[in-house]
Amino acid sequence: MDVNIAPLRAWDDFFPGSDRFSRPDFRDISKWNNRVVSNLLYYQTNYLVVAAMMISVVGFLSPFNMILGGVVVVLVFTGFVWAAHNKDVLRRLKKQYPTAFVMVVMLASYFLISLFGGLMVFVFGITFPLLLMFIHASLRLRNLKNKLENKMEGIGLKRTPMGIVLDALEQQEENIGKLTDYINKVKE
């Protein structure tokens, strides 16, 4: 699998004035989901840089707990994705309610990390960066370049780390999913 790192977007594009942000339509969950997925794919390297800075600060203050927290979250996420891949009930739950699926992963991780006493590291080093990513991806309006890049990712012209994670969660923009299904049928 050929994985490419998405380019770092200009910071004035990533976080400009309030004219580029808008409250999502909470009544149209599908449209909101498309906005989040699109922004996660487009700004993934920017999100990685922001998360790395936060993780570095927390890791500097408590390195053992940060490593332990990261390992626990990765193992729990991998376990849940594997279980959802092998059980149809969990697979449907993951596809229909991706936020609930991620929340269950985070709650299971929270419980396991609390057993080891690294609770504050979990909150500030793992949960807070994820929350900031979700808030930004929910509020940031998409532009034409953003949509074009995501279509290229969706039809398999480019594979990125965030695309792989979103594939594991079975989340993609609706139009991209339809286009990918059509391309796969044509190939057969």
Side-chain angles (χ1 to χ4, degrees), residues 41-102:
L41 288 169
Y42 187 71
Y43 294 111
Q44 64 185 286
T45 306
N46 295 66
Y47 292 141
L48 181 64
V49 168
V50 171
M53 289 188 310
M54 295 177 75
I55 289 169
S56 296
V57 169
V58 174
F60 179 74
L61 298 174
S62 183
F64 175 74
N65 285 336
M66 191 64 219
I67 292 170
L68 177 66
V71 168
V72 167
V73 171
V74 167
L75 290 176
V76 169
F77 179 76
T78 305
F80 273 86
V81 168
W82 177 83
H85 185 69
N86 292 319
K87 301 289 183 187
D88 287 337
V89 173
L90 292 176
R91 178 180 226 153
R92 284 192 302 273
L93 175 74
K94 178 178 73 169
K95 190 166 181 106
Q96 290 176 345
Y97 305 104
T99 305
F101 185 80
V102 171

Side-chain angles (χ1 to χ4, degrees), residues 5-177:
I5 303 298
L8 185 66
R9 307 297 175 190
W11 290 103
D12 61 335
D13 179 36
F14 179 65
F15 198 75
S18 61
D19 59 329
R20 303 294 296 186
F21 289 88
S22 173
R23 187 175 65 86
D25 184 8
F26 298 111
R27 291 169 291 171
D28 190 355
I29 299 296
S30 176
K31 188 174 179 181
W32 181 18
N33 185 55
N34 281 340
R35 180 192 283 190
V36 170
V37 169
S38 177
N39 285 328
L40 285 174
L41 288 169
Y42 187 71
Y43 294 111
Q44 64 185 286
T45 306
N46 295 66
Y47 292 141
L48 181 64
V49 168
V50 171
M53 289 188 310
M54 295 177 75
I55 289 169
S56 296
V57 169
V58 174
F60 179 74
L61 298 174
S62 183
F64 175 74
N65 285 336
M66 191 64 219
I67 292 170
L68 177 66
V71 168
V72 167
V73 171
V74 167
L75 290 176
V76 169
F77 179 76
T78 305
F80 273 86
V81 168
W82 177 83
H85 185 69
N86 292 319
K87 301 289 183 187
D88 287 337
V89 173
L90 292 176
R91 178 180 226 153
R92 284 192 302 273
L93 175 74
K94 178 178 73 169
K95 190 166 181 106
Q96 290 176 345
Y97 305 104
T99 305
F101 185 80
V102 171
M103 294 299 282
V104 167
V105 168
M106 296 308 288
L107 286 173
S109 299
Y110 171 83
F111 174 73
L112 290 173
I113 291 170
S114 68
L115 293 175
F116 297 109
L119 199 56
M120 291 312 289
V121 170
F122 176 76
V123 170
F124 289 108
I126 298 169
T127 307
F128 192 61
L130 291 175
L131 180 63
L132 286 178
M133 284 184 230
F134 179 73
I135 290 171
H136 182 273
S138 292
L139 298 176
R140 180 70 168 91
L141 294 172
R142 298 182 295 169
N143 56 27
L144 185 61
K145 187 175 179 185
N146 179 321
K147 293 176 184 179
L148 184 63
E149 284 282 327
N150 292 340
K151 291 208 184 304
M152 288 174 55
E153 164 103 9
I155 59 175
L157 297 176
K158 295 191 328 186
R159 297 283 299 160
T160 60
M162 183 65 76
I164 293 169
V165 170
L166 290 172
D167 279 347
L169 290 172
E170 294 185 30
Q171 293 303 301
Q172 48 190 235
E173 288 184 296
E174 286 179 8
N175 296 334
I176 292 173

